[in-house]
Amino acid sequence: MGFVKFADKCPNCGLDFSAFNVGDGPVVFLTLGIGALVTAMALWVEFTFQPGLLIHILLWVPITLALVVVMLRFSKGLLLALEYRNKAREGRIKDS
């Protein structure tokens, strides 16, 4: 089990996490949200302090990576909880 990976089952209740498919959903939202946030902050820093390109690279690359890694675990857990609560499953055709 890694930092951004789920265990196979919940150690408390035994819920099987492999039945849920969070896929790349959280990554898309994190890319859009964190990308917009970092872009806005980088523009503010540029217009306020006017640092060089190297300063921008040294500042924003680690901040972006840290935000994505920290938020990925939280957002994957949130999506899994929403799938469980809403009984979300793969798309299927209703029998007539």
Side-chain angles (χ1 to χ4, degrees):
M1 180 173 71
F3 182 71
V4 292
K5 220 177 151 191
F6 290 123
D8 294 331
K9 289 197 311 189
C10 175
N12 295 328
C13 67
L15 177 66
D16 182 19
F17 292 143
S18 64
F20 299 96
N21 180 19
V22 293
D24 292 335
V27 176
V28 172
F29 293 115
L30 285 177
T31 301
L32 293 172
I34 292 174
L37 178 68
V38 168
T39 301
M41 290 188 315
L43 287 172
W44 177 78
V45 167
E46 174 63 31
F47 293 133
T48 304
F49 304 107
Q50 298 177 348
L53 182 60
L54 183 61
I55 300 297
H56 276 294
I57 292 170
L58 292 174
L59 183 64
W60 301 116
V61 171
I63 288 175
T64 303
L65 290 174
L67 283 173
V68 169
V69 169
V70 167
M71 293 302 295
L72 189 57
R73 185 173 177 92
F74 170 76
S75 61
K76 286 180 91 171
L78 179 64
L79 189 56
L80 187 138
L82 288 171
E83 281 186 22
Y84 177 74
R85 187 187 78 184
N86 295 314
K87 297 177 178 65
R89 297 288 178 251
E90 292 289 327
R92 53 195 171 272
I93 299 174
K94 185 177 179 180
D95 295 331
S96 49

